[in-house]
Amino acid sequence: MREKQVVLATTHVGRDNIEFARSALESTVEQLETEVIPMWIEHDPRIPPHGRIIDAEVREREDGEHELIGRVETYEEEDLKGEGRIPLLDRTIPVGIDEDESGEIIFFNRTFDGEADQRDISEISEALNAEATREEKRSFELLPVLKITGKYALGAIATGFLGKIGADVYDLFKEKVKELMNRKAEETDERLLIFNPVVEVDGRLVEIKVILTNPTDEDIEKLFDDGLQKLDQILPKHITDNSVRCIVYKFEGQEIELRFGVRKDAAPLDPELFRSD
């Protein structure tokens, strides 16, 4: 494992036309006092984290702008060959929802800023009685990602989700998700739909990501009609280790496949290290 300092962000307007305020950089410094932040390749949640940010500070640049300097640890191949090779930290990675949050949140990035996209997101949020939140991700080639996040009981994700949405608007919800994903299919080669339940296990929150790449109408139907029940069946077998903070699945061909886990301190976990089939 290598440790180094890198520029994580600045207050300049980037090529992606995103400008971070100094307060946003300082907020990250405060966050790292209690948490550790995983490093994802191009913000792609399908790939295990390749490192972690363990500390940071804000510095003034010569041009008067400010930059966020991070102290990061990047993982090397030998670090990933067995359990325990990456030192365990006493801080945890954040999950997709606050501990006191009970409702659903629809997360989207700037690739959904179009008028039609925003209209669909508004209708999806209304169907779920959810909050819609735009995530700022600094990447020139940003992958369109729509994420549906909520807190549910372990073993009762399907009933919890369907109970909150209600049968009267369930079909409308699915149709709007399909419309949104189909529109993205006309604009990009790749897009992601993520169902992102957070469950409480023995007093700790565990984040689950069920990822659909280039979802078809049938994929979306199968995920919500059958896939959530399958998730309820397999998840308890994969969540027995109390060091697991995040579990990532792939939904494809009507099946849920376990891809990898993330330890509470941002170390990636091979499925064989923590699942119990």
Side-chain angles (χ1 to χ4, degrees):
M1 186 166 60
R2 291 190 303 156
E3 182 178 311
K4 58 184 178 180
Q5 286 192 335
V6 298
V7 177
L8 299 173
T10 75
T11 53
H12 292 100
V13 178
R15 292 190 303 160
D16 47 19
N17 207 33
I18 291 178
E19 180 180 7
F20 289 120
R22 179 180 175 180
S23 60
L25 306 187
E26 292 170 342
S27 177
T28 301
V29 174
E30 293 177 5
Q31 179 185 3
L32 286 165
E33 293 176 0
T34 56
E35 296 179 329
V36 59
I37 300 175
M39 297 169 60
W40 306 91
I41 297 175
E42 290 297 322
H43 303 293
D44 192 331
R46 297 168 298 180
I47 304 172
H50 66 98
R52 58 191 180 188
I53 307 169
I54 58 175
D55 196 10
E57 63 175 325
V58 176
R59 295 177 184 171
E60 184 173 358
R61 296 167 55 94
E62 291 183 359
D63 59 5
E65 297 288 342
H66 290 81
E67 60 187 8
L68 180 66
I69 304 295
R71 184 160 63 95
V72 306
E73 295 175 338
T74 56
Y75 310 137
E76 299 181 307
E77 187 175 350
E78 56 267 27
D79 299 323
L80 308 176
K81 291 181 179 178
E83 189 175 15
R85 291 181 180 272
I86 298 175
L88 182 65
L89 300 180
D90 61 359
R91 289 173 286 159
T92 62
I93 62 174
V95 296
I97 197 168
D98 292 336
E99 290 192 11
D100 57 354
E101 182 69 53
S102 58
E104 277 70 31
I105 304 175
I106 309 299
F107 290 101
F108 61 95
N109 57 30
R110 69 177 185 273
T111 63
F112 292 90
D113 279 352
E115 183 178 345
D117 291 347
Q118 286 297 298
R119 185 168 56 247
D120 283 341
I121 288 173
S122 178
E123 294 192 45
I124 293 169
S125 301
E126 185 176 348
L128 290 175
N129 193 25
E131 173 188 347
T133 300
R134 186 182 192 265
E135 290 188 299
E136 294 290 3
K137 302 290 187 182
R138 176 158 277 183
S139 177
F140 186 62
E141 296 290 341
L142 191 60
L143 187 67
V145 176
L146 182 72
K147 185 169 62 175
I148 301 170
T149 302
K151 190 183 293 182
Y152 307 96
L154 180 64
I157 294 172
T159 55
F161 178 76
L162 296 176
K164 288 183 179 181
I165 191 173
D168 54 338
V169 294
Y170 178 56
D171 289 336
L172 172 63
F173 159 75
K174 290 189 293 184
E175 288 306 313
K176 289 301 175 181
V177 173
K178 291 176 193 174
E179 285 183 22
L180 192 54
M181 289 292 103
N182 287 336
R183 188 178 303 113
K184 290 294 114 180
E186 298 173 358
E187 301 172 0
T188 63
D189 293 331
E190 201 168 39
R191 56 259 166 221
L192 303 183
L193 172 64
I194 303 177
F195 182 67
N196 180 212
V198 176
V199 299
E200 185 171 347
V201 184
D202 298 329
R204 61 192 171 93
L205 295 181
V206 180
E207 182 173 23
I208 314 302
K209 296 179 182 179
V210 182
I211 302 177
L212 289 74
T213 301
N214 298 340
T216 65
D217 287 357
E218 183 180 9
D219 292 333
I220 294 169
E221 288 279 350
K222 289 296 183 182
L223 171 67
F224 293 108
D225 289 354
D226 305 314
L228 302 191
Q229 294 178 353
K230 292 181 179 179
L231 179 63
D232 279 328
Q233 294 170 0
I234 64 175
L235 183 56
K237 303 175 184 178
H238 301 160
I239 212 166
T240 56
D241 189 325
N242 63 13
S243 72
V244 176
R245 182 73 161 175
C246 177
I247 302 178
V248 176
Y249 296 92
K250 177 176 73 173
F251 187 83
E252 186 177 58
Q254 305 178 29
E255 296 297 329
I256 295 181
E257 177 187 342
L258 177 62
R259 299 300 295 163
F260 61 90
V262 182
R263 204 170 65 186
K264 61 184 180 181
D265 63 346
L269 295 171
D270 186 282
E272 298 300 328
L273 295 179
F274 68 93
R275 68 180 172 186
S276 177
D277 292 333

